[in-house]
Amino acid sequence: MALDHYVPQVYLRHWISGDNGPLLNVIRKSNFKRFTPRTKDICAIPEGNTNRLLEDSQKIENALKAIEPKYNKALASLKNGQFDDESIWTISGFIACIMVASPTALRLNNPFLKAILRDMAVGLERRNLIPGLEKKMIARGLERGAVDFKVDGRYSQAIEAEDMDKVIGLLTHGDWEVLHNRFSDNPFYTSDYPIALEVSKTIPWINNKIIPLSPSLAIRIKPRTDTKRQEQPFVNLSVKRRALSRGEVKMINTLVVRSAEEIVVYLKEHDWTLDFINRNRYFWIDGVVTKRVVSENESLFINRQRLLERSAPPELNEELSGKDWFNLGPAKKR
């Protein structure tokens, strides 16, 4: 069974320091164990980019294969201040594939879908449209935790993957900042979900995305609330370059560690590295659902992603739980 990488190896190779030969420096958030794997051994799932709910079950894998060969060229263009459409589209495609393919993505919409299912079930029960059940059985069961819904993360993944070009195109809207890290003693970290969330200072209910593209370069994508003509790529796009202060680099690395699902990748280990990761490892991205009652029979659910502090990792999608999707040992011979 082939391993499908949801974080491309061409990307991860930028974090090979050379101190360990062709190996990476990696640490788990959950148990704080360090490893030195090859790029091929992490961020991969057997047949993980296959979605059985899509007419073209390989659509995600094919999108990644189209993006990967162009990544290094696009990275060099951004580093040199050349913000051409192909480079922007390639980087947006890289981000979109991770947003759709990763284990993090498979669980982030679960709270939203569960909230809708619960509300629908209670509404149907209230209108006596579910025969054969004791009155308020579902409502009481949900309240007590005796009844719940299982959500297949592949369903929401299929919805996004079906129109992958639209997902990519939406990322080409907004304000992009190309962020230069000049501090070789404090390079950017990355992870198995290298899309760090930052609450917008101007629009608090919206998240900026910060993505380390290499140990010395990152981008910040600030969405715009103006959604006119968003079906057309590059319409509402501005790009500027900025050199970061040391404090800003530390802030970004904090968000990268907190946004990681299970593993953090760092270029070199300093005497403060482990303490820094340890202080920030009990945070994960979660879906936060807000319900607004529109009428007696209608509710509006708003789904937002937030970084939340937790004592334990969030539960993976049922399809992934119970399996070591984050194996950091040597690849098994097949």
Side-chain angles (χ1 to χ4, degrees):
M1 187 177 292
L3 282 175
D4 291 340
H5 285 82
Y6 54 88
V7 178
Q9 292 186 72
V10 66
Y11 168 80
L12 291 170
R13 290 189 188 106
H14 289 275
W15 273 266
I16 295 175
S17 67
D19 294 346
N20 297 322
L23 306 179
L24 297 165
N25 293 306
V26 177
I27 192 165
R28 283 182 185 265
K29 290 176 68 174
S30 58
N31 59 18
F32 212 53
K33 289 186 177 180
R34 287 176 284 170
F35 299 84
T36 52
R38 299 167 293 181
T39 58
K40 65 190 290 186
D41 296 333
I42 61 171
C43 302
I45 299 172
E47 306 294 343
N49 295 335
T50 298
N51 189 308
R52 65 189 182 280
L53 303 177
L54 289 168
E55 184 176 353
D56 176 8
S57 63
Q58 293 295 300
K59 191 162 189 174
I60 300 170
E61 181 68 9
N62 292 335
L64 276 161
K65 287 180 178 178
I67 292 295
E68 289 181 51
K70 302 176 182 179
Y71 181 81
N72 284 335
K73 181 181 178 182
L75 177 63
S77 294
L78 265 61
K79 187 174 292 187
N80 294 329
Q82 300 169 358
F83 308 133
D84 57 281
D85 287 357
E86 183 177 15
S87 297
I88 297 293
W89 185 267
T90 298
I91 297 300
S92 297
F94 159 74
I95 299 167
C97 286
I98 294 173
M99 287 172 58
V100 172
S102 65
T104 306
L106 262 65
R107 68 170 177 79
L108 282 181
N109 285 323
N110 286 4
F112 178 66
L113 295 174
K114 278 188 176 183
I116 293 174
L117 289 170
R118 289 167 179 162
D119 190 70
M120 289 178 63
V122 171
L124 291 170
E125 182 182 55
R126 186 172 59 246
R127 297 194 295 274
N128 296 316
L129 295 176
I130 304 179
L133 291 180
E134 182 184 342
K135 188 176 181 180
K136 293 187 177 181
M137 180 178 178
I138 291 179
R140 288 198 300 264
L142 288 170
E143 184 178 347
R144 297 170 182 171
V147 176
D148 204 355
F149 291 92
K150 292 183 179 180
V151 178
D152 184 353
R154 292 292 184 186
Y155 175 77
S156 57
Q157 182 189 63
I159 294 173
E160 294 183 318
E162 186 62 38
D163 202 354
M164 182 68 80
D165 281 353
K166 183 177 180 180
V167 177
I168 298 172
L170 287 171
L171 291 169
T172 69
H173 294 268
D175 301 310
W176 280 40
E177 292 180 355
V178 179
L179 307 172
H180 292 261
N181 181 355
R182 302 166 294 169
F183 304 101
S184 58
D185 62 333
N186 191 18
F188 291 130
Y189 298 176
T190 191
S191 76
D192 51 359
Y193 191 72
I195 305 172
L197 295 190
E198 176 190 53
V199 177
S200 170
K201 294 179 181 178
T202 56
I203 315 172
W205 61 89
I206 290 180
N207 292 312
N208 300 330
K209 294 179 176 64
I210 301 178
I211 303 96
L213 302 178
S214 76
S216 62
L217 196 76
I219 58 168
R220 174 186 278 119
I221 301 178
K222 299 179 178 179
R224 293 184 181 179
T225 55
D226 182 6
T227 58
K228 293 180 181 178
R229 299 173 64 195
Q230 280 202 356
E231 70 280 1
Q232 300 178 29
F234 311 110
V235 171
N236 298 311
L237 175 68
S238 70
V239 187
K240 63 181 181 181
R241 304 171 67 185
R242 194 159 68 81
L244 298 176
S245 67
R246 188 175 289 274
E248 288 174 314
V249 171
K250 181 179 179 181
M251 179 274 294
I252 289 174
N253 276 336
T254 298
L255 294 176
V256 169
V257 174
R258 292 183 175 189
S259 300
E261 185 74 14
E262 172 65 348
I263 62 172
V264 177
V265 181
Y266 51 95
L267 191 65
K268 293 185 179 180
E269 185 173 311
H270 301 281
D271 55 2
W272 43 265
T273 302
L274 298 183
D275 179 64
F276 176 81
I277 296 174
N278 188 41
R279 283 186 282 110
N280 291 290
R281 69 187 176 108
Y282 291 109
F283 290 81
W284 281 271
I285 301 175
D286 270 331
V288 179
V289 182
T290 304
K291 177 182 177 181
R292 294 181 182 175
V293 177
V294 179
S295 65
E296 183 180 355
N297 296 322
E298 184 180 1
S299 300
L300 174 66
F301 290 90
I302 301 171
N303 188 33
R304 298 192 179 103
Q305 295 178 9
R306 285 288 183 265
L307 273 172
L308 302 177
E309 188 170 7
R310 302 171 58 111
S311 59
E315 183 180 348
L316 283 172
N317 187 265
E318 186 180 60
E319 182 182 347
L320 305 183
S321 62
K323 300 179 182 179
D324 191 4
W325 296 117
F326 302 97
N327 176 37
L328 303 181
K332 296 180 179 179
K333 294 182 179 180
R334 294 187 294 271

